[in-house]
Amino acid sequence: MGRPQRLPGLGLVVAFVTTSPATPEYNCIAWAAGESDRFWWPDRMETAYWPEGVPRSETVEAFIQAYRTLGYEICDSPALEPGVEKIAIYVNNRVDREPTHAARQLPSGKWTSKLGRAEDIEHDALQGDYPPGCRYGEEATFLARARPATED
Amino acid sequence: MVSQVPEAITTRDPTQRDTGGAYGWATNDSPDLRWVSARAVAELLSPSEPCTTIVDGYVTLELSDWLSPDTSTPESEGSQKDTCSAPSRTLVTVGGLNRWWKAEPTLNCTFHFQGRFDALTQEWKRDTRASSSITEIAMHPAYQQIIGMGKQALPFIFRELQEEPDHWFWALKAITGEDPVPPAARGRLSAMRQAWLEWAGRNGYQAWVSSWPL
């Protein structure tokens, strides 16, 4: 953890750094919301946490509503802005464009992501920096709120 | 890599008599299946009345009255209560299963069931490791096949859940039709795991859970 990883035999340094051990206790949606003790997802089986009053629907709109409960609002771009914390919501490339992933911007401008039930990583770009096997589609929506004072 | 279902059972006749298999022993000689015998037998005997204990690495199996007497069994070998001990980490030998073995050929099925469950679990965990979507995780074909196993999958799911928390809750709800998890605990794996293991205890699975050596 904590260092760029070299893919064996390829001489390549991948553009992400793992920052936590693998755990199924939380996922990227929770991690983007700043939580690491429960799994967020609007599953209709109601096994995961989802903010009360927000539809359990796997749509971008429902995810935006979920993050709105924490003070986020839609913004135009992922560009780093002082004092602003941003989240990117990814959707799949299918017609339904269901949410697949979320990443949160750090004060440095890098992004932090939880990879499903695997590790957290820190990465520079929103695309192209994920480990092999991660198929999250494309970022579709950006959200922003005032960055909590303790993180600046 | 998906593990192959091993040839878990061989039968032999310790009396060296021609018994047509009726007095054979069921032997599990696969290290990958070292706990299967005890669970498989306990499951088929009675989940609510555990009859299998594991002490110091030995399996003791007591056949219960659940089994109907086999009048063709010689008195010396046909008692209603048989005990067999073997080092369970290397070889689980279940003896005295003559009548049951004859009456319930599903022993083989149960052993293979365990192998299939383990293979599907490996496949599911490998393929969904990077997914954050509970729906995608639960809709994986391997996970759906485990749900399709029905209540027979429950002991194995509880064993997995005891060993490490993971997203078995969708399957448990689908199979049992119940949900012992309080709404406030949704998404909190430790609390959900605890609620389900307590449910397992209330429904006759706890004896297995507590007796499964790790």
Side-chain angles (χ1 to χ4, degrees):
Chain A
M1 285 191 298
R3 297 175 55 194
Q5 298 185 354
R6 186 175 295 277
L7 297 180
L10 296 179
L12 298 175
V13 176
V14 295
F16 65 89
V17 178
T18 55
T19 53
S20 83
T23 173
E25 300 276 353
Y26 61 99
N27 62 351
C28 61
I29 310 303
W31 183 238
E35 291 196 1
S36 58
D37 60 354
R38 60 183 171 184
F39 209 96
W40 287 41
W41 199 260
D43 62 308
R44 295 193 176 184
M45 201 64 145
E46 298 188 348
T47 63
Y49 168 77
W50 198 241
E52 194 172 344
V54 179
R56 279 190 174 265
S57 167
E58 296 182 37
T59 61
V60 172
E61 289 71 26
F63 279 62
I64 291 170
Q65 285 188 51
Y67 285 120
R68 275 191 174 131
T69 66
L70 301 175
Y72 287 94
E73 290 297 340
I74 294 174
C75 67
D76 293 331
S77 88
L80 179 65
E81 298 177 41
V84 177
E85 184 176 67
K86 294 189 176 182
I87 287 176
I89 299 175
Y90 291 67
V91 297
N92 64 36
N93 295 318
R94 300 192 304 260
V95 174
D96 55 22
R97 293 177 67 78
E98 288 182 347
T100 57
H101 182 62
R104 172 165 44 90
Q105 194 176 44
L106 297 168
S108 64
K110 294 186 176 185
W111 296 84
T112 180
S113 288
K114 174 72 160 60
L115 307 177
R117 286 129 75 208
E119 299 86 357
D120 301 346
I121 65 166
E122 195 174 299
H123 48 111
D124 294 327
L126 285 170
Q127 284 291 336
D129 284 353
Y130 288 105
C134 296
R135 292 180 291 275
Y136 296 138
E138 60 189 11
E139 62 274 23
T141 303
F142 303 106
L143 304 171
R145 71 174 181 184
R147 185 175 293 282
T150 54
E151 297 184 18
D152 279 326
Chain B
M1 186 180 73
V2 176
S3 66
Q4 294 182 338
V5 177
E7 291 297 325
I9 291 181
T10 58
T11 57
R12 61 186 172 88
D13 178 8
T15 65
Q16 300 297 309
R17 293 182 301 156
D18 181 13
T19 62
Y23 306 127
W25 286 39
T27 302
N28 170 21
D29 53 10
S30 167
D32 293 331
L33 296 177
R34 58 184 181 273
W35 307 123
V36 173
S37 292
R39 280 204 303 279
V41 172
E43 178 182 21
L44 290 174
L45 289 177
S46 171
S48 60
E49 297 176 16
C51 57
T52 303
T53 57
I54 302 175
V55 178
D56 296 333
Y58 282 76
V59 173
T60 298
L61 173 66
E62 293 182 353
L63 302 185
S64 73
D65 291 336
W66 182 84
L67 296 169
S68 58
D70 183 342
T71 55
S72 67
T73 304
E75 186 67 26
S76 60
E77 300 176 15
S79 62
Q80 282 292 311
K81 179 177 178 180
D82 274 320
T83 300
C84 170
S85 296
S88 58
R89 284 193 179 279
T90 55
L91 180 71
V92 174
T93 303
V94 181
L97 289 178
N98 42 355
R99 289 155 296 163
W100 176 75
W101 176 249
K102 185 178 182 180
E104 290 286 345
T106 53
L107 178 62
N108 257 320
C109 297
T110 307
F111 272 73
H112 286 278
F113 183 91
Q114 165 77 44
R116 181 168 173 245
F117 178 89
D118 287 347
L120 290 169
T121 298
Q122 284 184 36
E123 181 184 349
W124 168 64
K125 290 192 173 186
R126 180 198 62 213
D127 290 354
T128 62
R129 187 169 185 266
S131 175
S132 282
S133 165
I134 287 283
T135 306
E136 186 175 277
I137 290 169
M139 288 300 163
H140 187 277
Y143 195 88
Q144 287 294 304
Q145 287 182 67
I146 289 173
I147 291 175
M149 292 175 175
K151 290 187 176 179
Q152 279 196 307
L154 292 178
F156 307 117
I157 293 176
F158 288 129
R159 178 204 64 186
E160 288 286 325
L161 203 53
Q162 173 159 296
E163 289 180 357
E164 61 177 4
D166 210 333
H167 291 274
W168 290 108
F169 312 113
W170 183 304
L172 288 170
K173 285 186 72 172
I175 292 171
T176 67
E178 298 194 33
D179 186 5
V181 177
R186 286 175 189 154
R188 299 187 188 279
L189 264 64
S190 297
M192 298 175 80
R193 175 196 196 201
Q194 183 65 32
W196 273 107
L197 290 179
E198 288 174 4
W199 184 94
R202 291 194 300 273
N203 288 274
Y205 296 95
Q206 189 59 47
W208 300 2
V209 171
S210 62
S211 67
W212 292 339
L214 297 176

